[in-house]
Amino acid sequence: MSTVLITGASTGIGNLTARALAKAGHTVFASMRDVSARNAEHATELLDLAKADGLDLRVVELDVQSQASANAAVATVVEQTGRLDVVVHNAGHLVIGYVEAFTPDDLAHLLDINTIGAHRVNRAALPRLRDQRSGTLLYVGSTILVTTPPFLGPYVSSKAAFDSLAVVTSYEVGQFGIETTIVMPGAILEGTSHFPNASRPSDGTVTAAYAPLDPLVARNEEATAGLFAPGVVATPDRVADEITRILALPIGQKPFRSIVDVADAGVDHVMRHVDNSRENFVLRMGYGDLLQLSSELELSMSYPEAQR
């Protein structure tokens, strides 16, 4: 069993994943901001569950917008257990509105949470994982980078950047025995605080200029719900179950991507083609070794004749 650190575990996918992994026998550190204040109730619920069911489920403070906080959380995990095996990058925030109405500061703030936040946590965790020549980085991405629905522009951009950073990071950390998996959930309307807690753009003047489109924005959730077949409910427990399944797989057998999309948007077919094209491009560059998991210190790289 593994020692797992999960970001954004106060509610939704992160919370249910913490519960599922702990029930599967893993030692789980469910991280969240403001453990003693705004998220005190969520933290207490997890700790009560751990006590009642005899689970090794713990809570740790972690704000992905702070490198010091990420460093401290990882240090706590290692101090308490002597190891860290898996990082589940789940923390994220949703915004809804007209792209032009989001100020540059709005966009930078969202990228700081959804993209740079994961990078901060990696910078805290990777020294440990590299030293032990093993570990798993599991990113909770989104099908939205393919489906790109209206009125979610900054969020789509942040998840696309999150995905790209995960992919390029995988080339490098894989040479130290660290696996990467990107789980891509589709739209989820129940069991998560994403839509209720979504932020709006700061520029009210520009927002007002788009007023004729307001009825379309107002029915965003209704339009999303219409994607599902009758009787089908998209809930975050499906994603938690898939993460639990993946982390139970042997080293080297975890999928690079997994699509969890009950809306059946065809994203699996798109991403299969994208990843095949990307891998072929990397192979043509002579970097095929970077597509393979390795724990060897001496890297045997091959280069095309033109680059020698």
Side-chain angles (χ1 to χ4, degrees):
M1 290 295 139
S2 301
T3 296
V4 184
L5 173 64
I6 305 174
T7 67
S10 60
T11 61
I13 292 173
N15 188 279
L16 290 176
T17 298
R19 295 167 183 256
L21 290 176
K23 289 178 181 178
H26 299 282
T27 296
V28 179
F29 286 80
S31 79
M32 59 192 76
R33 294 182 298 165
D34 301 325
V35 169
S36 60
R38 62 180 284 185
N39 282 318
E41 183 177 349
H42 299 305
T44 299
E45 288 176 355
L46 289 177
L47 294 174
D48 287 347
L49 174 67
K51 184 176 181 180
D53 292 359
L55 307 177
D56 197 352
L57 174 57
R58 317 179 195 191
V59 174
V60 63
E61 177 84 23
L62 199 168
D63 180 355
V64 298
Q65 291 187 272
S66 165
Q67 188 64 60
S69 179
N71 293 345
V74 169
T76 296
V77 173
V78 175
E79 287 168 6
Q80 292 188 13
T81 66
R83 60 187 296 175
L84 174 61
D85 303 301
V86 179
V87 176
V88 178
H89 290 293
N90 171 73
H93 184 63
L94 178 68
V95 297
I96 301 173
Y98 309 115
V99 174
E100 184 188 347
F102 288 95
T103 67
D105 285 344
D106 289 340
L107 188 55
H109 178 71
L110 188 67
L111 287 167
D112 193 54
I113 298 171
N114 291 358
T115 307
I116 301 173
H119 184 59
R120 288 190 185 97
V121 176
N122 274 348
R123 282 178 56 81
L126 282 173
R128 178 73 186 185
L129 301 184
R130 280 189 284 103
D131 284 347
Q132 67 193 28
R133 296 295 186 267
S134 67
T136 300
L137 300 178
L138 191 148
Y139 299 82
V140 181
S142 176
T143 60
I144 207 166
L145 63 92
V146 174
T147 56
T148 54
F151 313 123
L152 300 173
Y155 182 72
V156 172
S157 300
S158 70
K159 296 307 285 188
F162 173 87
D163 190 283
S164 296
L165 198 63
V167 170
V168 179
T169 301
S170 75
Y171 301 147
E172 300 157 8
V173 301
Q175 303 312 294
F176 295 87
I178 302 166
E179 295 183 277
T180 292
T181 291
I182 303 171
V183 176
M184 300 175 68
I188 296 174
L189 296 179
E190 296 187 16
T192 176
S193 60
H194 242 26
F195 275 95
N197 291 343
S199 295
R200 302 285 174 163
S202 294
D203 194 328
T205 300
V206 173
T207 296
Y210 282 87
L213 300 183
D214 285 352
L216 300 180
V217 179
R219 70 178 189 87
N220 188 285
E221 285 192 64
E222 177 187 350
T224 304
L227 296 169
F228 308 123
V232 174
V233 179
T235 56
D237 60 291
R238 295 173 183 261
V239 185
D241 290 344
E242 176 63 359
I243 292 172
T244 303
R245 182 192 73 82
I246 289 170
L247 293 183
L249 296 174
I251 294 172
Q253 295 186 26
K254 297 177 180 64
F256 185 75
R257 285 192 192 275
S258 175
I259 315 297
V260 185
D261 181 22
V262 297
D264 195 24
V267 174
D268 52 340
H269 304 298
V270 174
M271 294 314 301
R272 188 178 302 117
H273 179 72
V274 168
D275 282 326
N276 284 339
S277 297
R278 172 181 58 81
E279 290 175 4
N280 287 334
F281 189 80
V282 171
L283 283 168
R284 289 174 58 204
M285 292 181 73
Y287 290 142
D289 289 351
L290 296 181
L291 300 173
Q292 306 299 321
L293 188 67
S294 174
S295 60
E296 298 296 326
L297 289 177
E298 295 296 326
L299 306 182
S300 175
M301 304 299 295
S302 59
Y303 299 90
E305 284 292 332
Q307 294 181 344
R308 289 181 180 172

